[in-house]
Amino acid sequence: MIERIERWFQKSTFAQQGFLREQSGKILQAAELIAASFNNGGKLLIFGNGGSAADAQHMAAEFVNRFKIERPPLPALALTTDTSVLTSISNDYSFDEVFVKQLKALGVEGDIALGISTSGNSPNVVEAVRVAKKQNMITLALTGGEGGALAQEADLALCVPTDETPIIQEVHLMAEHLICDLVDAMLFLKPGEDLV
C-alpha cells in the first residue's frame, strides 16, 4: 500500500512537471485574457461536468470572494450550480444544452467562456464552447491527454499530459489556482509587490 501511495505521487508529480514545461506560457496567456476581460467590464463563465463542475464552482468562488489578497470581487460565474436551470433544460431539451442556453442568456462579446473536461470530449462542454465563439466570447479550455474536440474548438487550450482522470483533475486545480494568482497580481499589485 505504501508503494501504491508513492506511485500515485510520482504520477501526479510527473504530470505536473510535464504540464509546467509544456503549458506555462498558455497559463500566463489565459490569465492575461481573463484580467483584460475583467478590466473591460467582462465576466468569466466556467462550466464542466462532475469533478470539473466542482472545479468551475471552486474557481468562481476564488474570484468572487478572494484568492489570497483583499481586493474587490471579480465577476466569475459557474454555470453548474442552478439546479432549476440545469434540470429544466435537461428535461425540456437535452443535457447537451445545459451550458449552451446559459451562455446564450448570459454571455456577451468580450466575456470569457472556460470549458473544463478531462477527456476534452464532453458533448455539452464542446458545444458550449462552439456557441461562445459564435457570440464573440474568448474561449478557454482545461483538458487532458490529446485535448479531444474541446482543444480543437477553444481559442486557447491547456492540456494535462496524461489520460488518468484523477491526475488531470489534480493538475487542473493547480492551473486554476495559478490563474487566480496571476490575475490578482496583474490587476491589483504594484510593480515589485508580491502576493501575501
Side-chain angles (χ1 to χ4, degrees):
M1 289 298 139
I2 294 296
E3 288 177 6
R4 190 176 184 88
I5 293 168
E6 289 172 351
R7 279 198 310 274
W8 189 289
F9 272 87
Q10 287 166 356
K11 286 190 290 188
S12 184
T13 301
F14 183 78
Q16 289 172 21
Q17 290 172 341
F19 186 75
L20 174 65
R21 256 191 331 271
E22 298 167 17
Q23 307 287 314
S24 56
K26 289 185 177 182
I27 294 169
L28 178 58
Q29 191 178 353
E32 289 170 340
L33 290 167
I34 293 168
S37 179
F38 287 161
N39 252 343
N40 293 320
K43 59 191 172 295
L44 174 63
L45 302 169
I46 319 165
F47 46 93
N49 301 296
S52 298
D55 276 358
Q57 293 169 226
H58 183 142
M59 192 175 190
E62 303 287 26
F63 280 124
V64 171
N65 184 26
R66 69 172 186 161
F67 183 58
K68 290 174 68 179
I69 60 172
E70 291 298 331
R71 46 102 170 124
L74 295 168
L77 180 65
L79 304 183
T80 56
T81 59
D82 190 326
T83 53
S84 296
V85 168
L86 294 169
T87 55
S88 68
I89 295 169
S90 296
N91 184 64
D92 295 350
Y93 294 92
S94 159
F95 191 68
D96 290 352
E97 296 283 313
V98 293
F99 304 133
V100 165
K101 282 197 164 263
Q102 292 185 77
L103 285 171
K104 286 180 177 177
L106 302 170
V108 296
E109 184 173 352
D111 285 348
I112 307 275
L114 171 55
I116 308 172
S117 168
T118 57
S119 69
N121 292 313
S122 303
N124 58 355
V125 176
V126 174
E127 188 57 30
V129 166
R130 285 190 189 118
V131 165
K133 285 175 78 172
K134 288 177 186 171
Q135 293 181 216
N136 296 315
M137 298 175 66
I138 298 161
T139 57
L140 308 179
L142 277 170
T143 185
E146 298 298 314
L150 184 59
Q152 300 301 313
E153 291 291 339
D155 296 319
L156 180 67
L158 287 75
C159 302
V160 181
T162 181
D163 292 320
E164 290 197 54
T165 297
I167 302 296
I168 295 168
Q169 290 171 327
E170 290 170 16
V171 181
H172 279 181
L173 182 57
M174 179 183 293
E176 291 150 10
H177 280 164
L178 281 168
I179 289 168
C180 291
D181 179 80
L182 290 166
V183 169
D184 275 5
M186 289 170 190
L187 294 180
F188 301 105
L189 294 187
K190 297 173 184 144
E193 198 176 9
D194 199 4
L195 294 174
V196 292

